[in-house]
Amino acid sequence: MIKIAILGAGAMGSLFGARLAEAGHAVTLLDINDAHLDAIRRFGLRLQTDEADRRVHGMRALRPEQADAIPELLIVFTKSMHTRAAMAGVRHLLGPDTTVLSLQNGLGSVDAICEFVPAQRLLIGVTTWPADLVGPGHVHSHGEGGIRMMSADGVDRPAVAGTVAALERAGLHCTADADVWAAIWEKVAFNAALNPLCAVTGSTVDQLGNIPDGTALALAVVAEVLAVARSQGVAVDAGKVGANVLHAIGHHIGHKPSMLQDILAARRTEIDAINGAVVAAARRSGVPVPCTESLLQLVRLIEARAANGGQGASPLQAH
Ligand code: NAD
C-alpha cells in the first residue's frame, strides 16, 4: 500500500484515484474545483463504470495548499496547459523520494514537471482509459483501458516496478515499456490529426469521413508528426497509427474529442502540448509540417476569439 496524491482530480484523476483507493491505497485528491472537492467530501466520489455505479469513500479531497502529507507517488492529471501552475502549487509536497507520474496527453508536460523534479524521479506514459466528468463528484468511465509507462530518462528503476504494481493492483492494466516514447509519439500523432480537425470544423470523429479529403488530411498530419518522431530517433509504427485513425473515423460515431468539447465550451485546449509541441520539435529538426502547423494556427485563432469575448468559440456557433 502506498501514499498517493492525484494532482488534478477531474475526469481521469478521479477515476484513477478512486480505483487506487478501492485497491487499498491511501489516496489524496488535489484540485482547485471547489464544487467537485466539496461533493467528494460530503458524499464520496460517484464512479460509474461497466461493473458498477458506486460511491467511493475514504479519499481525502483537498486544495493543494491545504495538503501537507508528502506522497510516495504523485500522479499528474491536469490538462497539459495547467501542469506548470499545478506543480508550483504542490512544491511543498515533493519529498526527496516522491515519484511523479504523468499520463497526460501531448508532449508539453515532461518539460514542465522537470522544472520541479529531476527526470530520474519522473515516470511518463500513455493511457487508453477513458473518463468523463459528469458533474461535481461524479465520474463516468465506459470500457477497458491500459497504461504503458517508463522513467522519463529511460532507466528501469525500482520505482517503475513499484508504480506498475500499484496500478495493476487497482485493475488499471499497467505495463513497463522501454518503447514508451514511441507510444507517446504515436498517441500524439493520432491526437494531432483528429482533435484539431474536429475542433476547427465542429465535426464528430466519424464526420471526418464524410468526404475523402477529411480522412486524407488526418493521414497527412499523422505522416508529418511521425516524420518528426523519426527525426528524433523514435521508432514509431506508421501502419498502426494510420489503422487507428481509420478505425476511429469508421467507428467512433458521434464522438466529440475533448478539444472540440473545450472549443464548444469556450475553454482553452491542449493544442500547444500536442500540435504546438510537434511544430516546435519539427523546427529544431528541420522537418516540414504544414498541415500540423495550419491546424495549430486555426485552433489558436479560435481560442483567441473566445479569450477576447468573441461570440461563441466554435465556427459553427458564430453564424
Ligand atoms: P479534466 O479537465 O477533467 O481534469 C483536469 C483537472 O485539473 C480539473 O479538475 C481541474 O480543476 C484541475 N486543475 C487545473 N488546474 C489545477 C491546479 N493548478 N491544481 C490542481 N488541479 C488543477 O481533464 P481530464 O479529461 O481528466 O484529462 C487530464 C489529462 O489526461 C489530459 O492531458 C488529457 O488529455 C489526458 N487524457 C484524458 C482522457 C479522458 O478520457 N478524459 C484519456 C486519456 C488521457
Side-chain angles (χ1 to χ4, degrees):
M1 294 309 114
I2 56 173
K3 270 189 258 167
I4 300 172
I6 310 280
L7 179 60
M12 292 297 282
S14 293
L15 168 69
F16 272 56
R19 298 287 299 253
L20 288 160
E22 286 181 325
H25 297 289
V27 174
T28 302
L29 303 178
L30 303 170
D31 207 290
I32 54 172
N33 179 342
D34 289 318
H36 184 53
L37 292 174
D38 192 48
I40 296 168
R41 273 186 225 116
R42 291 173 66 190
F43 310 115
L45 179 90
R46 182 173 172 198
L47 176 60
Q48 276 180 291
T49 62
D50 294 344
E51 308 100 62
D53 181 358
R54 70 276 203 187
R55 288 196 181 269
V56 181
H57 298 279
M59 293 183 286
R60 302 186 78 205
L62 301 171
R63 291 186 66 94
E65 64 273 17
Q66 296 171 326
D68 53 14
I70 291 182
E72 292 161 87
L73 174 65
L74 177 86
I75 305 181
V76 186
F77 258 136
T78 62
K79 290 276 177 75
S80 54
M81 61 282 193
H82 299 135
T83 303
R84 188 169 281 106
M87 287 298 295
V90 295
R91 244 186 246 269
H92 61 294
L93 302 177
L94 299 170
D97 298 321
T98 303
T99 296
V100 178
L101 167 65
S102 167
L103 301 172
Q104 297 154 283
N105 278 333
L107 296 164
S109 287
V110 174
D111 288 346
I113 296 172
C114 283
E115 290 176 22
F116 301 89
V117 289
Q120 302 94 285
R121 295 214 327 261
L122 172 60
L123 310 180
I124 53 169
V126 293
T127 178
T128 52
W129 284 100
D132 290 302
L133 190 65
V134 182
H138 183 184
V139 167
H140 181 264
S141 179
H142 175 67
E144 285 283 303
I147 302 163
R148 295 163 67 185
M149 65 143 103
M150 186 41 70
S151 302
D153 65 359
V155 179
D156 193 356
R157 300 190 176 73
V160 177
T163 306
V164 167
L167 293 162
E168 272 286 295
R169 189 187 167 95
L172 289 164
H173 310 317
C174 182
T175 49
D177 184 350
D179 292 328
V180 74
W181 278 109
I184 290 173
W185 274 96
E186 286 164 4
K187 191 163 190 207
V188 164
F190 180 93
N191 287 332
L194 297 189
N195 294 7
L197 264 174
C198 290
V200 165
T201 61
S203 302
T204 55
V205 172
D206 57 302
Q207 287 171 338
L208 296 179
N210 282 351
I211 58 168
D213 281 348
T215 304
L217 187 48
L219 293 175
V221 174
V222 166
E224 289 179 5
V225 176
L226 296 184
V228 179
R230 273 191 222 97
S231 77
Q232 307 220 335
V234 181
V236 283
D237 182 342
K240 187 169 78 185
V241 185
N244 286 346
V245 165
L246 293 178
H247 182 270
I249 292 175
H251 294 85
H252 293 185
I253 312 298
H255 176 61
K256 290 180 185 166
S258 60
M259 195 174 285
L260 172 56
Q261 293 178 35
D262 287 339
I263 288 290
L264 291 171
R267 290 189 296 255
R268 273 184 68 202
T269 73
E270 294 191 290
I271 194 73
D272 286 329
I274 303 174
N275 296 56
V278 170
V279 168
R283 289 220 176 97
R284 290 194 294 273
S285 313
V287 177
V289 288
C291 300
T292 309
E293 185 157 15
S294 297
L295 288 174
L296 169 67
Q297 291 159 338
L298 289 168
V299 174
R300 280 183 177 160
L301 268 172
I302 299 172
E303 286 184 337
R305 191 176 66 187
N308 292 331
Q311 188 219 347
S314 158
L316 300 182
Q317 289 176 331
H319 305 298

